[in-house]
Amino acid sequence: MQSLNKNGVSITQTSGEEKYVKCCLGAFRGQIYFQYDYRHTDGELFSTVAKTLAECHRRRDGWIAKKITE
């Protein structure tokens, strides 16, 4: 199985980079989800798990918008 972590640290290290993998979560009766990481240009990491990649992007965009207004 692919992972976005190595030794507990995200492998998404470059500013502006996004990575994702499909994963099957047993806690959700074998449904397929996307594990998603995005490293913002300021170096902060955003991570989420959602049923679709589009939902991951929507959450990321909301997170970025919130960062801008803070």
Side-chain angles (χ1 to χ4, degrees):
M1 181 171 110
Q2 290 181 319
S3 176
L4 294 180
N5 300 300
K6 183 174 183 180
N7 298 324
V9 177
S10 176
I11 61 172
T12 309
Q13 294 296 318
T14 306
S15 295
E17 179 181 27
E18 72 174 6
K19 291 188 179 186
Y20 60 89
V21 294
K22 286 184 180 181
C23 55
C24 182
L25 302 177
F28 297 100
R29 298 187 181 159
Q31 291 182 350
I32 302 298
Y33 283 79
F34 286 85
Q35 180 185 358
Y36 178 89
D37 282 2
Y38 170 75
R39 179 73 62 182
H40 193 274
T41 55
D42 68 4
E44 190 173 354
L45 180 69
F46 170 80
S47 295
T48 192
V49 175
K51 287 186 176 184
T52 66
L53 188 55
E55 177 62 17
C56 292
H57 286 149
R58 187 189 68 73
R59 292 177 185 178
R60 178 206 58 201
D61 293 347
W63 176 77
I64 291 171
K66 187 176 178 183
K67 285 178 70 69
I68 292 170
T69 59
E70 289 181 343

